[in-house]
Structure formats: C-alpha cells, structure tokens
Amino acid sequence: MFDIDGTLVDSMGFDTELYVGAIRAELGAGVAIDETWLSYRNVTDSGVVGEILAQRDFGRPADELASSIRRRFVALVREHLAKNSRTLREIPGAKALVETLLATPGVRVAIATGGWAETALMKLRAIGMPMDALALATSSDAHERTRIMQIAERRALAGTAPRRRTYFGDGPWDQRASRELGYEFVAVGRSVAHEPRFDDYTDRDAVLGCVLGADG
C-alpha cells in the first residue's frame, strides 16, 4: 500500500501552496493554518479542513465551506498541471515498482492517500500509473488516515486475508497510522527517521526485499 504525495509523486513543490491558497481564498487570508501539519489530528485534505472549520464560525455552514474549498483546490491543481506539467514528477522507480508488484503472484497493490480523489487521480494518471489495476482510497472516503487505509485494504483484498501488510509513506502520520493498524512501514524520503528507508525506488531489489521478504 502506498501514499501518493512524496511517496509516488514529487508534488510537494506546489501541492501545499495550492491547498493553503484554496483554504484562504474561501475563509480569508488571516485564517491560521499550521503548514507543518503536525498540530492536526487527521493530516488529510478533509481532516485538516474540518479541524480549521471547527475553530470558529466562518459565517456559512461548515459542509458548504468544505465543499467550496475542495472545488477550489481541485480547480487550482488542474490549472497548475495544465500549465506546468513538468512540476509533477514520479519518484524515481515508483511506476516500475508498482508494475512489478502487480505482476507478482499473491500480491495485491493499493493506494491510500490523504488527498481528495480528484487530485489523487490527476497525479497518478500524470505519471502513468495503471489505475484500472489498483485499489484506491482517499480523503474523499474518510477523514482519518487509518480509516482510508482500511478502505483501501478492503477494496484490494476483496475478502481474502493478508499474510503481511506493508505501507510506504513519507510522513510521520503515515508511520503512526501504520503502527496503529499493524502494518510494516517503509519510509520514503528524508522526513521520517525510520528503517527501512529509501530516497526512491531505483534499487528495486532492495525495496522488493522489504515487501516480499522470504516470499520473494
């Protein structure tokens, strides 16, 4: 199971800026946002928006404002990618790794992201991920990352029981959710002090060894 931003795609150069911009466009430039995300209980697109909206009365129903923020963010990402497609890059080796796992007997591949479905699909399609073969759950399904992971797992397994479960992520919230659900965790990038950890997926054999172990 994989996160998306910072794990499969290098989108951090624009994603946070556009997300914060969408919130401030709807709630006002002075709204407080912790851009480290560490103070939020649920570090997902819907979770952070929900916590910000709960801080005070913004003069409109919270669900209406949340929908407006989501629509604006989706529009901003779509516009950005149309004009700056090269700013969205695959984490080196990500697509090849996913394709290898999909072709491995006994392995199911899922994606569980804290992003909303619309932007998640834009990013994955931009790097050529085979979406028809992947189970996907997003912040459009639930606020909580653990719940998103559980939904992705259910969609991928379709009633079968897993022998082991591994989650690839780049943030401390990914590590925490994996621990809570009993997943083996593989860190991607340099934001989490953890072993195993990889900067990317170019050493495919080493990464596969973490996933398949003796089964590989």
Side-chain angles (χ1 to χ4, degrees), residues 55-127:
Q55 292 174 0
R56 62 183 176 87
D57 182 5
F58 288 94
R60 290 165 58 195
D63 58 348
E64 179 183 311
L65 283 168
S67 295
S68 295
I69 292 168
R70 177 174 171 174
R71 286 194 299 270
R72 185 179 289 270
F73 177 57
V74 169
L76 288 172
V77 172
R78 182 178 292 113
E79 180 182 4
H80 177 86
L81 292 180
K83 295 178 179 178
N84 309 280
S85 59
R86 292 184 180 180
T87 63
L88 181 69
R89 296 180 296 273
E90 168 194 7
I91 299 296
K95 181 172 179 283
L97 174 66
V98 168
E99 290 174 340
T100 298
L101 289 170
L102 286 169
T104 302
V107 175
R108 305 287 178 87
V109 184
I111 294 174
T113 176
W116 280 307
E118 298 93 331
T119 53
L121 287 168
M122 285 183 215
K123 295 166 188 174
L124 292 171
R125 287 169 176 158
I127 64 169

Side-chain angles (χ1 to χ4, degrees), residues 97 168 186 196-198 200-213:
L97 174 66
F168 288 80
V186 178
R197 185 195 65 79
F198 298 93
D200 55 37
Y201 306 100
T202 51
D203 189 348
R204 197 182 319 170
D205 289 341
V207 178
L208 287 172
C210 293
V211 178
L212 303 177

